[in-house]
Amino acid sequence: MTNWIPDRDSLRQPLHLSLAASISAAIEDGRLKAGQRLPTHRKLAEQLNLSVNTVSKAYDTVKRQNLIEGQIGRGSYVTDTKKPERQPYILEPEQKNMFDLSISRPAYSKLHVDRMQKLLSELPGDLNSQMFLSCRPNIGFETHRIAGTKWLSLCGLNTQPDNIILTNGVTHGMSAALSALTRPGDIVLSDSITHHLLVSACAYLGLQLVGLDIDEYGVVPDALEKACVELKPKALYLLPSLAGPNIYMMPESRRRQIADIVKKYELHLVENDACGPVAKDRPQPVSEIIPELSIYLTTFTKCTVSGLRAGYLVAPERLFPALTGRLIVFGWMATPLMCEIATRWVLDGTAEELTLWQRSNLRTRYDIARTELAEFDWHGHPSGLHLWLKLPGEWDSASFVAHARQLNIAVSPETPFMAPKSIPQNAIRISVASIRDVDRFQQALRMIAGLLKQQREPLPQLVY
C-alpha cells in the first residue's frame, strides 16, 4: 500500500471533489504510480478526519476518470495506462436474448439487403477492371471524386473534385488529417466529450488532447478562445452535427463564432460529419465557412450500411502533399471497389433513398425514447444514432453498465469518450439503431428505465 496521503489543509469544499483532484494530481506528477494500492476508504477517512462517504465519492470520481480501478476484495489501485484499453463494446455476433445498445450503427432492413444485392448482381457485366487491378491514384479515381461533389452538396459542402480525397471512412481520414497537421507534443482541442477514437489516436500519435467546456450546442466559444491564447494549439477537432456521443446539433450562429475564432488564431479545423445529410435541420458545415483552414470528413457507414467503408476527405490543395503521404502510410488508398459501390449509389439515388429511410426510422426510435425515458435526464436528436443519458442518484457509469449486463443489456460507459482530465458526466451512451427490431428496442429502454428506478446493488467482480 502507498504511503502517499494528501494534505488535509489543502482540501476545500466540496471536499470529495477536492480530494479527487489531489489524487489525480498525484497520479499525474508521479507521486502515485501505476499499480500502487490506495488506502482503504475507512483508513483514509480516519487519517484526514473525513467521512467514509466523502472518501468513497472521491474515489468514485477518480475511477470515472479511468485513473484508478477497484478490485473487489483487494482494494483500489492506480490504473496502468500503458495496458491495452478494455473494449467496452460487444464485438461478437449478436447473442440470443442480448439487447446490444452499445454499438453506434445505422438501422437496416430488407431494403438495404435488396439494394446491395441488386448492385452486386450488376457489377460483373460492366465493372471497369481498374477497380480491382489498380493501386493508384492514391487520392481516388476521378470518377469517384466527381460523384463525391454531388453527395457533398447534400451535406451542405460545395467543393470541386480536385479538393476531394477518397477514404475508407472517417477514421481513416482522421488519422491522415491529424498526422498531417501536427507533430508529437502538439496540442489538439476538442469537446470534453468527444469521439473515442480521437482519444486513442492522439495518444498513439503523441499529441496532447485538451477537452473544452461544452453546453447543449457544443464547444463554448469563450473556452475555445481562451485555449487558443493560453495553449497555442495546432488543430480543433469538431463534431457539430450529431457525430459526438452526447449528440447535439450546433446552430449556425455558433458555427460562425467557432469559424471566426479558428480564423483569428490560424488554427486548422478537422470536422467530423459522419452522419452526413441524415438530419433535415442541419446547418452548413463549419468547413463551408472557412474551407481554406478546414479538413472535412464524412462517410457512408453511418447513413447507408455500416459495411460500406467509404468516405470523403475535403481539404485545400496546399495540404494534399502532406495528406497524401499520410494516407499512403495508413492504408495506401481507399478501396476502389467500395468507392465504386458508393459512387453508383450516389449517382442512381440509392444513397439518398437509404438516407431518407434512415431519417424516418430514427425518428420513430427517438419518439419511443421520449416515452420510455420521460422521467430521466437524457439528450438526443430525432436523426441521431444514439442518446446520452445522465444517471440519477447513486448510479455511476461503470456500475450501471455492469448491472445492465445482468439483464443482457449492453450500453456504453462514458469513459472512452472523455478527453483527458475532463470532468466525468456520470452518463452512458445508448445506441438507438443497433437493435434491428423496434419492439425489442422499446423493450430494452423499458428495462433500462426500470433499472434506473432501483437502488444500486453491490455486484461481485464478474468475468464476461
Side-chain angles (χ1 to χ4, degrees):
M1 183 182 298
T2 178
N3 293 321
W4 173 86
I5 184 172
D7 180 5
R8 177 63 174 84
D9 293 336
S10 69
L11 301 182
R12 299 289 182 268
Q13 295 289 346
L15 290 172
H16 73 283
L17 290 180
S18 183
L19 177 57
S22 295
I23 297 171
S24 299
I27 294 172
E28 184 177 346
D29 64 24
R31 285 176 290 158
L32 285 174
K33 301 185 183 303
Q36 281 190 292
R37 182 183 176 188
L38 296 175
T40 65
H41 297 202
R42 185 170 300 280
K43 182 173 182 179
L44 190 58
E46 291 173 354
Q47 290 176 316
L48 296 178
N49 193 27
L50 297 172
S51 71
V52 174
N53 184 54
T54 295
V55 175
S56 297
K57 289 171 67 176
Y59 275 31
D60 284 345
T61 299
V62 182
K63 189 182 298 181
R64 290 198 298 271
Q65 293 174 295
N66 205 31
L67 296 176
I68 67 173
E69 57 183 355
Q71 300 177 13
I72 293 179
R74 299 187 63 222
S76 298
Y77 289 78
V78 178
T79 302
D80 185 355
T81 57
K82 294 182 180 179
K83 286 184 179 179
E85 293 178 0
R86 287 176 293 180
Q87 177 60 271
Y89 311 116
I90 296 176
L91 302 180
E92 311 90 79
E94 186 172 344
Q95 301 175 31
K96 186 177 180 180
N97 299 323
M98 170 60 71
F99 298 93
D100 187 357
L101 299 170
S102 65
I103 301 294
S104 181
R105 55 164 295 165
Y108 69 97
S109 69
K110 188 175 183 298
L111 172 68
H112 296 77
V113 177
D114 290 346
R115 292 293 181 268
M116 182 62 77
Q117 289 180 338
K118 179 178 182 294
L119 185 147
L120 293 176
S121 68
E122 295 170 349
L123 282 180
D126 59 0
L127 182 64
N128 185 334
S129 62
Q130 293 302 306
M131 294 302 139
F132 52 84
L133 292 177
S134 179
C135 59
R136 285 190 173 85
N138 299 105
I139 62 173
F141 288 100
E142 184 177 16
T143 53
H144 296 165
R145 290 185 285 117
I146 291 172
T149 62
K150 178 180 179 180
W151 183 254
L152 289 164
S153 69
L154 294 178
C155 298
L157 197 75
N158 297 301
T159 190
Q160 301 299 318
D162 289 344
N163 295 107
I164 298 174
I165 295 175
L166 274 296
T167 69
N168 288 325
V170 163
T171 304
H172 187 201
M174 176 188 72
S175 301
L178 288 176
S179 59
L181 296 174
T182 63
R183 296 295 179 270
D186 284 345
I187 291 175
V188 174
L189 305 177
S190 74
D191 306 58
S192 58
I193 305 170
T194 187
H195 196 290
H196 66 106
L197 291 181
L198 174 66
V199 178
S200 299
C202 286
Y204 299 155
L205 295 171
L207 304 175
Q208 300 180 59
L209 180 63
V210 176
L212 301 174
D213 289 343
I214 57 175
D215 59 17
E216 68 271 27
Y217 301 126
V219 169
V220 176
D222 288 346
L224 173 59
E225 182 141 28
K226 184 172 184 280
C228 289
V229 172
E230 296 179 354
L231 303 177
K232 311 299 181 188
K234 287 294 180 68
L236 169 65
Y237 191 90
L238 206 62
L239 307 108
S241 301
L242 310 182
N246 51 330
I247 206 79
Y248 63 81
M249 180 69 79
M250 184 181 287
E252 183 175 358
S253 58
R254 176 69 60 87
R255 294 175 189 234
R256 292 194 174 277
Q257 286 179 284
I258 297 295
D260 288 343
I261 295 170
V262 169
K263 192 170 184 178
K264 178 179 177 180
Y265 292 96
E266 298 181 336
L267 284 179
H268 276 101
L269 171 71
V270 180
E271 182 173 6
N272 180 337
D273 193 18
C275 297
V278 173
K280 188 176 182 179
D281 61 342
R282 61 197 308 279
Q284 65 179 341
V286 182
S287 299
E288 178 71 6
I289 304 171
I290 45 170
E292 71 281 4
L293 293 172
S294 299
I295 295 178
Y296 174 88
L297 306 169
T298 192
T299 181
F300 290 94
T301 61
K302 298 296 187 184
C303 50
T304 59
V305 293
S306 56
L308 186 51
R309 310 299 303 179
Y312 304 111
L313 180 156
V314 182
E317 286 188 72
R318 63 181 175 80
L319 293 178
F320 266 48
L323 287 167
T324 304
R326 274 66 175 184
L327 194 78
I328 291 171
V329 169
F330 291 119
W332 190 259
M333 68 183 298
T335 306
L337 194 55
M338 287 289 103
C339 296
E340 175 69 10
I341 292 172
T343 294
R344 293 186 180 214
W345 272 6
V346 167
L347 295 178
D348 70 10
T350 299
E352 187 172 4
E353 175 194 19
L354 296 181
T355 296
L356 294 176
W357 181 93
Q358 193 71 215
R359 182 186 296 171
S360 175
N361 191 275
L362 292 175
R363 176 74 212 207
T364 298
R365 292 164 183 260
Y366 177 81
D367 289 340
I368 290 171
R370 288 178 63 187
T371 299
E372 300 300 336
L373 301 177
E375 301 177 47
F376 304 102
D377 183 8
W378 64 276
H379 185 64
H381 187 279
S383 297
L385 290 174
H386 42 261
L387 311 172
W388 188 250
L389 173 65
K390 291 193 175 182
L391 300 170
E394 296 181 349
W395 286 109
D396 63 76
S397 177
S399 66
F400 186 84
V401 169
H403 279 73
R405 192 67 164 81
Q406 296 299 293
L407 299 175
N408 282 334
I409 299 173
V411 293
S412 298
E414 65 181 349
T415 309
F417 310 109
M418 305 299 296
K421 302 181 183 180
S422 295
I423 298 174
Q425 300 292 303
N426 207 33
I428 57 170
R429 191 194 70 176
I430 299 174
S431 169
V432 302
S434 54
I435 296 176
R436 179 180 176 182
D437 184 78
V438 173
D439 290 338
R440 291 192 78 239
F441 168 68
Q442 184 167 16
Q443 182 184 355
L445 290 192
R446 194 165 293 165
M447 293 168 69
I448 286 175
L451 181 58
L452 287 168
K453 295 175 184 178
Q454 303 299 315
Q455 185 175 359
R456 170 182 161 182
E457 293 288 339
L459 284 179
Q461 190 74 8
L462 299 173
V463 179
Y464 301 125

